[in-house]
Amino acid sequence: MVKVKVTEKTSKLTVYPNVSGINTTIEIELSTEGEIQLILFNQSGQMIRQLLTRTLLPSGNHTYDLNLESFPVGVFYISLLTPDGLQTKRLMVIR
């Protein structure tokens, strides 16, 4: 009998603090080196800003600090596209 161990490659997106007023931290954990995109959308699905565009990052943990002072109060979505797939997290901005 042959046993095969299957490991799933995954990347992880974390946004904190969430709910935020001035600054938030975006943490990206990559399982493998790869080209990523980090994009911010408003509640209507319109792209507000490309935070990282086709950026090659090594595997491991990476952080991105986002200043929210110029953002209106509301709900935003942060999407991370990696070779492992797409992840999206909600971000609430308050004052």
Side-chain angles (χ1 to χ4, degrees):
M1 175 182 268
V2 176
K3 291 186 179 182
V4 177
K5 183 179 178 182
V6 177
T7 58
E8 186 176 317
K9 294 180 182 179
T10 59
S11 295
K12 184 177 177 185
L13 173 65
T14 307
V15 179
Y16 61 90
N18 191 6
V19 174
S20 187
I22 298 174
N23 292 304
T24 195
T25 299
I26 302 166
E27 187 173 284
I28 302 166
E29 182 180 331
L30 298 177
S31 61
T32 59
E33 179 180 294
E35 189 176 274
I36 70 158
Q37 293 186 63
L38 189 63
I39 303 171
L40 181 70
F41 296 92
N42 66 14
Q43 197 168 4
S44 299
Q46 296 171 312
M47 185 178 66
I48 301 298
R49 187 180 300 168
Q50 289 187 317
L51 305 172
L52 296 172
T53 306
R54 297 182 185 233
T55 303
L56 182 64
L57 292 178
S59 62
N61 295 327
H62 307 276
T63 58
Y64 184 93
D65 294 319
L66 180 60
N67 183 312
L68 302 169
E69 289 180 303
S70 65
F71 287 62
V73 171
V75 176
F76 296 86
Y77 295 92
I78 299 171
S79 290
L80 172 66
L81 179 62
T82 71
D84 296 334
L86 176 70
Q87 293 183 54
T88 301
K89 298 287 183 178
R90 185 177 69 155
L91 170 66
M92 293 183 65
V93 175
I94 62 168
R95 299 286 181 246

